[in-house]
């Protein structure tokens, strides 16, 4: 069985996998046909240099192709089901409670792929600065990470339990 900490693996629930697969199938099938029709219709309007509809359709096509590529990567590297994990050790699929250094309040979130964003609690990616810093840590351990503004922040792991959904 693959290690839950393998960076190329994206652990997804069956629901998230099905949703992403359906989006991929639509975009790579009927979605492509629709955008091709929009481009063709705009092309028939004449001069392409000053044709806003044509350029907008081409931009939309580029964004759609990027999304198709991203979805293909996720689907190809997806493992559906529960990531192998141990309670008390931070990893993808865990509900993690941390306390930021210098604060009394505890913060709980799900450490998972952003594609799981339908969860009823905040979701942090294991690839985010905080997620990468705490991945593999045990209860009571501290982790320091660099925030996007360049400052360092330290958290203490209070709890790490498997996410059980709603």
């Amino acid at each position: 069985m693959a290690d839950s900490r393998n960076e190329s693996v994206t652990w997804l629930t069956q629901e998230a996998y099905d949703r992403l697969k359906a989006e991929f199938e639509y975009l790579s099938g009927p979605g492509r046909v629709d955008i091709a029709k929009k481009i063709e219709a705009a092309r028939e309007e004449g001069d392409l240099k000053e044709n806003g509809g044509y350029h907008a359709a081409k931009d939309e096509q580029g964004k759609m192709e990027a999304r198709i590529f991203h979805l293909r990567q996720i689907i190809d590297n997806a493992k559906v089901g529960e990531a192998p994990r141990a309670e008390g050790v931070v990893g993808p699929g865990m509900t993690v409670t941390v306390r930021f250094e210098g604060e009394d309040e505890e913060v709980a979130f799900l450490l998972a792929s952003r594609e799981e964003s339908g969860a009823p609690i905040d979701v942090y990616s294991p690839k985010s600065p905080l997620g990468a810093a705490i991945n593999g840590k045990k209860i009571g351990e501290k982790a320091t990470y660099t925030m996007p503004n360049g400052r360092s922040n330290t958290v203490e792991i209070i709890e790490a339990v498997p996410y059980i959904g709603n």
Side-chain angles (χ1 to χ4, degrees):
M1 177 168 272
D3 185 345
S4 67
R5 313 269 183 302
N6 183 340
E7 289 190 22
S8 66
V9 172
T10 301
W11 288 95
L12 297 173
T13 61
Q14 186 66 53
E15 177 186 3
Y17 179 83
D18 292 345
R19 180 173 39 84
L20 295 174
K21 184 88 167 140
E23 180 183 358
F24 173 79
E25 288 171 359
Y26 171 77
L27 291 177
S28 61
R32 277 186 172 146
V33 171
D34 291 346
I35 196 68
K37 287 178 182 175
K38 284 182 186 177
I39 291 170
E40 186 58 35
R43 205 180 262 147
E44 291 173 3
E45 293 175 10
D47 185 11
L48 297 182
K49 289 182 184 176
E50 297 180 17
N51 187 331
Y54 173 78
H55 293 290
K58 289 296 282 182
D59 285 347
E60 185 180 343
Q61 180 186 39
K63 289 176 185 173
M64 183 171 60
E65 290 301 326
R67 180 66 178 161
I68 289 169
F69 179 78
H70 182 70
L71 289 170
R72 170 56 45 207
Q73 286 184 312
I74 292 170
I75 291 166
D76 286 348
N77 294 311
K79 295 285 185 193
V80 177
E82 297 299 315
R85 56 193 175 222
E87 189 164 325
V89 179
V90 176
M94 301 294 282
T95 300
V96 182
T97 304
V98 299
R99 181 180 303 118
F100 290 91
E101 194 169 72
E103 296 183 19
D104 293 331
E105 188 176 328
E106 295 177 357
V107 177
F109 55 87
L110 172 61
L111 188 65
S113 166
R114 291 184 328 185
E115 303 303 330
E116 295 286 353
S117 61
I121 63 173
D122 288 338
V123 178
Y124 285 70
S125 169
K127 296 177 184 176
S128 69
L130 174 58
I134 65 174
N135 201 8
K137 297 285 185 192
K138 296 179 179 142
I139 293 173
E141 291 184 340
K142 293 184 178 185
T144 301
Y145 65 99
T146 303
M147 298 183 296
N149 66 8
R151 291 184 174 160
S152 290
N153 203 355
T154 301
V155 296
E156 179 183 357
I157 309 302
I158 305 300
E159 184 177 50
V161 295
Y163 176 69
I164 53 173
N166 307 356

